[in-house]
Amino acid sequence: MLPKVTSHLFLHTSRAVALVQNQSGTLRNVLQHQSSGSTTSTVPWTTGPGSSWGGAGTGAGPGGAKFNAGSKFYTGYTGAGRAVTQANTSAGQDLTKDDDKEDVSTSLVKSRQSSSHHSRPLARRHSFSLPSGPRDLAQETSTGVLHTVQLHLRARHTFAPSAEHEQQNRQQPSQSESPISADDSPQSSFAINVEEAFATKNVPRLAQLIMELADRDHDVQKSLRSIDARERRRRLGAQTSSLIGEAAAEEADSKGRDSLLSEDNFRTAMSIFDAACITSESDSGNLQKRSALAFRFPVNVYHALLRSCAYHASTDAALRVYSHLEARVRQPLTYGSETSTRFYPSTTAIYYLLSTYVNANDLVGATEVFSEFKDLCARKEIAHSEPSSNVRIWNKMIEAYFRAGQPAGALRLLETMMDGESTEKAQGEKVLVPSPASSTFTTIINGFCGQIPNDSVNSGSAPVPSPQPDVATALSWFNRLLLQPNPSANPFESSSEPTRPDQKAWTVILEMLSQAVSTDKSRIQDLNRLFGVLVDCAAKDSLEVKPTLRSMVLSTNVRFLEQVTDSEDKDLVHASLAFLAHHISLDKGTRPSLPHIGETQALLANVYPQFVRFGMAEKAWELAKGLVARELSVLEETLEKDEKPEAKRSGQLLNKVVPLALEAIVSSSSETSVLSEALQVVQYAVRKGVKLTPAMAPHLLHAFMISPIEIQRDLAQQDYELLLSCALTLPVTPSNNELPEGCAYRSLTALLKVFDNAGIDSHVQAVPRKLALAVMTALHESLDAHQLAEFFGTVGPVFQRFKRPPLPPSPAAESTTPRLPVIVDAELSRYIDEWYPSNRSLTVHDGYARLQEAISAPSPRYPHPTTLGRLINGLGRARDISALQSVYDTAQQVIFSPYVSANPSWQSQAWFQIEDQMIIAYAHAGDMESAYGHRDRISAVGGVPSPDAYGSLIECVRDTTDDTSNAMALFTECQMRGTKPNVYLYNTIISKLAKARKADFALDLFEQMKANTTLRPSSITYGAVIAACARVGDTQAAERLFEEMAGQPNFKPRIPPYNTMMQMYTHTKPDRGRVLHFYELMLKAGIKPSAHTYKLLIDAYGTIEPIDIEAAEKTFKKVESSGETSLQSTHWAALINAYGCVLKDLDKAISVFNSIASHPSARRNPANPLPDAVTYESLINVFVIHKRMDYVRTYLAKLQASGVHMTAYIANLLIKGYSAAGDIEEARRVFESLVDPPSGVAAPNNHVPHNPASASSVPPSEPSYREPSTWEAMFRAELGNGHRDRAVALLDRLRERQFPHAVYQRIRGIMGDDNSVTPWAQSPSSQSL
């Protein structure tokens, strides 16, 4: 007896039955018993789409049994060596032990064709199957067992690989050869295995082959259901990717479906089974003892075949399989001395058999199977009949009634389950009736949702249409389940009390409501309400809010808003928008994944127009900014956690919504505020890395053009630059089709005239050179000479900077008349070229002198332009600018001489070559502005600089605050212009990335380079990419690349990669053993160690545990006595660091420092004597570590007296030491005593020169410039002493200095949200070492 609450809840059941029985119209027609004749076969055909239990296709019910190769059945059968009959002990394996996710739905099989034959109904009990016992073997032919099998396989076309083979088989039916060709195809191999198994009567092998086919069929059906599920989600809008991505996914699914449907695993398996049923075990004795091979198959083979029968709705095949299985119940098999254990049909077999008839829409047959099941239960002749497995079968029968269009029958069956645990039969036996489980109610809801089709029922009538979803009834049942107190623990566990909806029920009801919204817009309220309930109760009910469900519900709201008209219910519209806004605003208490954020961004991009349409544009913009902020926050956390060098987000959301946000502002804001609001939106997008697009630009330009002149002239410099950048995204004079309707902006010239009228000459003059050049190019490429003259005649003088000066002389027009005829002498060219590429006795200046001698002679002679280009290149690298300019002038004389002009092609090539060499020369000479000027000369006449020119520009980008970004901009520019990178260009950009610790980007370019079959990485390339990995501590990648480098056929050992590996294992990932390993490799390669190598060895011995100070001293003395390597300040600093910072021996560190001045090495370079800034820095670091700032003043006085220039790194240590000692005022004095370099320029005079012996000292009177690390040191000092306001003020100053964003963020990140301060970096060595 169910509790009162249950009886009250399901009083609705009886009423529903009565309602269904008395309904008129469509539902009454549906409830009529329909049938149509058909004949099933083993060929895969049956109904169309079906139950949603498995995601698509006709369903076998909630969760079916799963008997596969990993089940207990299959492990009970392990091969030919084990008696097959032993597997019978597990024949009744319970359904509850299987994977609940399996379903036996039919998937994508052909529609059943009408036939004059009716499907065979099941008779009661013993007429249920074919005759028991062995088959009548007398009907077998005398041609032999193998021939019989071959004929059987040929008749079914099971393995024929081609039509040609089939034709051959039909022409020679009496031959005993196999119809399968003896080729190497998988089909042929499989056929041979089958033939061998039949020839040898190998029952275990045949069983294994059938299981392989059935399991493969099971996998195919699961894949097909997955494809159907994705298609259904696409129809319901549960995808938020791009249309291109959707189309690609749909095409891939279509191809995948075709490929899966081309397999014929089920029919092949049944053919082997049928052949086994007519093939007997040979016995020379009594014919009665012979039995069919199929009778010796393990039970899991029958279950697997029945499962496939259910998939394909093949009732004939299912009857044949079940009849053999049932025959073994009535007559146990005796084989030799073995007798199989008697067993009963299991719930597994009954479930699959019932599913077959349900999938075939054969209600009569399903009813017979269900009655048979109840009879077996009453006689206790069914194996492992437990409530959970029985529930599945009862659920399946409920589904059968719904599929047949008879919900009344389904509800009566539910009442039977609820009324009592057993029902009396006439014979006094009891039939076990399970109580409903949560899956039972899910089946009912699913049935009312109308997701189970009604193709045809075998009652002889014509098919009727599928019933329409009964949304109200399904929703009523679901709402009642929501009122229950207890969640569902197991969907197939019977319960005397109803439970709350399970995961499947939620999926069914939400999908039904999503579909219903298209015909009844009011259902959007039910959909959103229930989804809110799911989100709230998911944790309590152990449910999952699946991303696909979330996407489907939110996308349904988007479709609803797109389809609703302005005149319809505004309450529904605003409720839907509020719902979307709530779920797009990600919960701040959780950390969403990046894919989840991306999906939400795509959803907002789709719904953004509706927010604008219904007056909620401001809310939508706040949502967009919130999503961007969450994404950046997650990225920062990811960077911090995984220590990745950099990550970039796509900005697709802003690209889509910024134009919409601007459109809303322009259409709703006043003239006085429209420009300010529009600028805020565009500036925000630009700050987030979004590039301006033609969709954004017109709105901002319109806002500017309609604003009062007072507002137009009161903007910041960056605002005017932003307006010009917007104008450049459009044609100079856009057409009406390229501008929004009513746009006040008409052309770039009109914008510049407004600038002129507003009197903002100073701002125009301050426009950066690059932007001014872009404006100039746009004007001159779009306007003719008359239009340009007219425009520049109407604007002020400052706008003349946008007027192109006379073009640089082009090969066609440039004319330089030499004083005397130019004679190009090949012999002279070879004579001048003797210095190139290297000559022990000649330099580039010798070549230059020879040139001057030749052209100064009474009868001057000139070299080939190529020779002049080499001279220009070499003089630039020698930094002799006056000489290279002289050669350039000479080259112009040669290029435009009558001799060269006679060949225009040669002249053009020579001109480009000389200009290209000028780029390289000026870059190496340090005059980047002149280098860019010659690049512009090439671009102005439609040319493209060479990869060597771009490589030089990238290599020589230095002494800026963001060298890497500038280098990457140049590399991107060269790719956009079509320059194909060469090895040198790759080497330079990879080296830049390596120095900036951007290992991921460096490795990407390295792989890109290796993918280019025309390029081969050099030792320099490997050295650069190894350095990139070493700087970020990726030892595995560095080791792998080093080995790869050493194995290259063009490998030439160079010292940098060896030093890089030693440095990685010294400072980044300390491991003295590996340091010494690479040192030994260096020596074996015949490379002489450098000064830096020995410095690394001293560090390895003096800083890596266990400390070996004797080895460090020995290495120091080796350098000291070496005639090839001079003792440098870095060696002294390494020794001081080992004694003072690592061994904590202050006196010894001071003693080492004091000994420097008297050492012979101190006077080897009179221009830069020791001790220098590096050694002073190492000693002051020791004082800071020991907290002995009292020593500092003495040695600072010595530093100043000796003429050593104070560096920022020494100042950093002083700030740190004074701060730690509590003397914050002195720390501030040190910080303020330094000055800032010009904006965008790196601080000079702070780093150790690469060759100290040839470097001159910096005068002590020169100012000391702050490094970013100096700002960081002062920032930590202020925070460490509790002066947070001063630290924030430092951040403001840092921002004004326009440091790179990464630098600002790193320093800002020192201050946590809780005002905590991260510790000082503890490094025994100073930054400059």
Side-chain angles (χ1 to χ4, degrees), residues 283-294:
D283 190 344
S284 58
N286 190 344
L287 181 65
Q288 298 299 323
K289 292 183 179 180
R290 298 171 64 190
S291 63
L293 296 180

Side-chain angles (χ1 to χ4, degrees), residues 117-198:
H117 301 284
H118 294 279
S119 65
R120 177 171 42 185
L122 276 73
R124 298 290 294 176
R125 189 50 184 154
H126 292 295
S127 61
F128 188 35
S129 60
L130 299 178
S132 61
R135 301 288 297 260
D136 186 1
L137 303 177
Q139 297 177 1
E140 295 181 7
T141 65
S142 60
T143 56
V145 173
L146 180 57
H147 182 61
T148 301
V149 174
Q150 291 171 342
L151 291 176
H152 183 81
L153 296 178
R154 181 183 292 117
R156 291 188 176 272
H157 307 285
T158 304
F159 302 113
S162 67
E164 177 183 355
H165 293 150
E166 288 187 5
Q167 182 66 26
Q168 293 173 356
N169 295 337
R170 287 194 293 269
Q171 292 173 353
Q172 300 174 348
S174 61
Q175 293 181 3
S176 60
E177 289 84 354
S178 170
I180 300 95
S181 62
D183 56 22
D184 295 330
S185 65
Q187 295 91 343
S188 175
S189 175
F190 187 84
I192 292 172
N193 288 335
V194 174
E195 291 181 7
E196 289 178 352
F198 273 110

Side-chain angles (χ1 to χ4, degrees), residues 1180-1223:
I1180 291 173
N1181 188 40
V1182 172
F1183 294 151
V1184 171
I1185 294 294
H1186 286 266
K1187 300 181 180 180
R1188 294 299 304 270
M1189 298 304 291
D1190 52 315
Y1191 280 101
V1192 168
R1193 298 185 187 277
T1194 301
Y1195 282 90
L1196 279 180
K1198 289 183 178 182
L1199 178 147
Q1200 295 170 356
S1202 61
V1204 175
H1205 180 261
M1206 165 78 78
T1207 67
Y1209 299 115
I1210 295 176
N1212 294 352
L1213 294 171
L1214 295 176
I1215 292 170
K1216 178 180 178 180
Y1218 286 128
S1219 171
D1223 192 352

